[in-house]
Amino acid sequence: MNIDALIDAIPKAELHLHIEGTLEPEMMLALAARNGVELPYKDVAEVRLAYEFDCLQDFLDLYYNGMSVLIEERDFYDLTYAYLEKVHEQGVTHTEIFFDPQGHTCRGVSFETVLGGISTALETAEKEMGITSKLIMCFLRHLPEDEAFDSLHCACKHKSLVHGVGLDSSEKGYPPGLFSRVFAEARKQGFIPVAHAGEEGPAEYVEQALDDLQVQRVDHGNRAFENPALIKRMVNERTPMTMCPLSNLRLKGVASLELHPLKKALQAGLVVTVNSDDPSYFGGYVAENYKAIQQALNLQAGDIITLAKNSFSAAFIDDKHKQAAHDAIDKVVSEVKSKLKSK
Ligand code: HPA
Ligand code: ZN
């Protein structure tokens, strides 16, 4: 079976995607001009040239700077709609999107402006392209927990639009336990908890995310492999990991994709998924992530099918939706197989 054709055709859910990380250089410059924002780049080539990172913090500095062009509700709409159009072409039928309200409210852009633009685009895309979605609001872990509470209070006014809460930004030195109180309140208010852990931080941060924040998924999770008992626990509890191969490569979490722990995760029986994280910054959307990791780890068609099915098993959708997605995957797989046989 032509594996790239399978990757393109197979229905996929994306579960680890920062909407601000989909800001392509062309849109960054166009929005800067539209909103009169000064950027330190004169053209697209200069923006791309700046995308050389040695670690997570190098990336975050550019990521927060790039966000400064997002000001009006229509900017957030355009950003979100462009992402959805792109992944619709790649076979994504469901997406769970992170957004970082504190990256905007600190610049005087209101929570409602951000949420209004994103959620209207999601609604439009569901009508036009049939893509379903959930929104996950992240707390920035380099800021104090009190400020996370401010975001939570805003989200409580929009429970129909915000499904979950997450934790992102600089990991080292900011363990999940610092956010126990705000996550407890978020869970009490009905938000589903997830957190970035083990991207750069140690396995202990993954344990804290599970124990102190009671997360239902771990975002990244790579360094959990330093603790075999923790992996066993995540297998037993079926806690999904949302992995992002090209992100890990570009931020030097792995020296090469051949050394990426995704195959180990599959072999261990973890509910592991493939995602793009910040596709504009890391050189690939979800299909490119599947293709790159398939090649590097010599994944087989059966692995791709498992990864695609995992993406729906790990999604925050009901069992009927999960089953329908798994059935759609089986149908596409048999169509791809018979097309190839008839060639
Ligand atoms: N890690 C942590 N925080 C982030 C990331 C990431 O990869 N992308 C956007 N915020
Ligand atoms: Zn992320």
Side-chain angles (χ1 to χ4, degrees):
M1 188 182 302
N2 176 327
I3 205 120
D4 279 357
L6 176 68
I7 289 170
D8 287 330
I10 202 165
K12 296 173 280 295
E14 177 152 56
L15 306 179
H16 185 156
L17 180 280
H18 302 262
I19 199 64
E20 295 90 346
T22 68
L23 181 60
E24 291 287 346
E26 290 79 3
M27 187 180 280
M28 191 191 288
L29 294 174
L31 293 182
R34 184 157 104 183
N35 292 326
V37 176
E38 287 240 9
L39 287 174
Y41 320 107
K42 73 171 188 305
D43 55 30
V44 167
E46 267 195 18
V47 184
R48 289 199 198 281
L49 218 57
Y51 291 179
E52 264 301 319
F53 316 113
D54 276 330
C55 62
L56 175 58
Q57 193 59 50
D58 278 0
F59 153 70
L60 289 169
D61 293 343
L62 260 81
Y63 170 79
Y64 293 122
N65 198 42
M67 275 185 207
S68 65
V69 303
L70 299 164
I71 293 177
E72 307 291 341
E73 185 166 323
R74 70 171 173 154
D75 304 337
F76 291 91
Y77 179 95
D78 291 348
L79 176 75
T80 308
Y81 193 82
Y83 160 72
L84 293 161
E85 268 190 318
K86 176 82 187 169
V87 294
H88 177 55
E89 285 168 19
Q90 296 199 339
V92 170
T93 59
H94 178 76
T95 177
E96 302 192 351
I97 295 181
F98 295 130
F99 70 114
D100 284 332
Q102 289 161 287
H104 311 298
T105 51
C106 71
R107 304 181 285 111
V109 177
S110 78
F111 187 93
E112 278 70 24
T113 297
V114 179
L115 184 60
I118 298 172
S119 59
T120 307
L122 294 176
E123 237 173 74
T124 307
E126 181 161 0
K127 279 192 209 122
E128 291 180 358
M129 306 174 223
I131 298 187
T132 54
S133 61
K134 303 279 183 203
L135 264 181
I136 301 175
M137 174 183 79
C138 284
F139 303 123
L140 299 185
R141 67 205 304 164
H142 69 277
L143 297 176
E145 191 183 35
D146 281 357
E147 294 182 23
F149 268 107
D150 295 340
S151 280
L152 180 59
H153 293 142
C154 290
C156 282
K157 295 187 210 132
H158 304 281
K159 282 188 182 171
S160 64
L161 299 178
V162 180
H163 192 77
V165 294
L167 187 66
D168 67 359
S169 194
S170 323
E171 188 181 9
K172 279 185 181 165
Y174 300 98
L178 292 174
F179 294 86
S180 299
R181 286 169 44 245
V182 75
F183 268 75
E185 181 60 22
R187 294 195 308 274
K188 198 169 129 199
Q189 293 295 330
F191 296 102
I192 306 290
V194 299
H196 283 54
E199 179 183 17
E200 284 190 342
E204 190 199 334
Y205 285 18
V206 177
E207 274 181 316
Q208 275 190 29
L210 297 171
D211 294 332
D212 298 351
L213 309 186
Q214 296 177 32
V215 297
Q216 296 196 15
R217 288 198 303 243
V218 171
D219 298 311
H220 294 294
N222 301 33
R223 289 192 60 191
F225 286 91
E226 292 168 18
N227 180 347
L230 174 59
I231 295 295
K232 235 184 235 169
R233 170 184 176 182
M234 292 181 73
V235 171
N236 289 339
E237 294 176 0
R238 290 190 58 75
T239 310
M241 264 189 207
T242 63
M243 288 188 148
C244 308
L246 290 174
S247 164
N248 300 149
L249 182 69
R250 294 294 282 268
L251 301 187
K252 307 211 166 30
V254 291
S256 73
L257 281 185
E258 286 72 18
L259 297 172
H260 195 280
L262 184 125
K263 197 168 188 169
K264 257 198 276 183
L266 278 170
Q267 286 165 346
L270 278 162
V271 186
V272 60
T273 67
V274 171
N275 310 272
S276 70
D277 209 2
D278 300 280
S280 159
Y281 291 88
F282 302 145
Y285 285 76
V286 67
E288 286 83 22
N289 273 270
Y290 269 80
K291 288 174 187 174
I293 200 69
Q294 182 279 322
Q295 264 212 321
L297 301 179
N298 189 29
L299 299 180
Q300 303 301 301
D303 298 320
I304 300 302
I305 295 164
T306 299
L307 289 166
K309 286 192 173 174
N310 283 352
S311 73
F312 292 98
S313 301
F316 298 137
I317 52 178
D318 62 29
D319 287 346
K320 234 170 88 183
H321 188 166
K322 288 184 191 189
Q323 190 57 52
H326 285 193
D327 292 346
I329 288 173
D330 289 336
K331 189 160 172 268
V332 166
V333 170
S334 63
E335 282 166 6
V336 171
K337 271 187 189 158
S338 60
K339 216 190 263 169
L340 289 167
K341 258 189 219 146
S342 68
K343 269 192 185 165

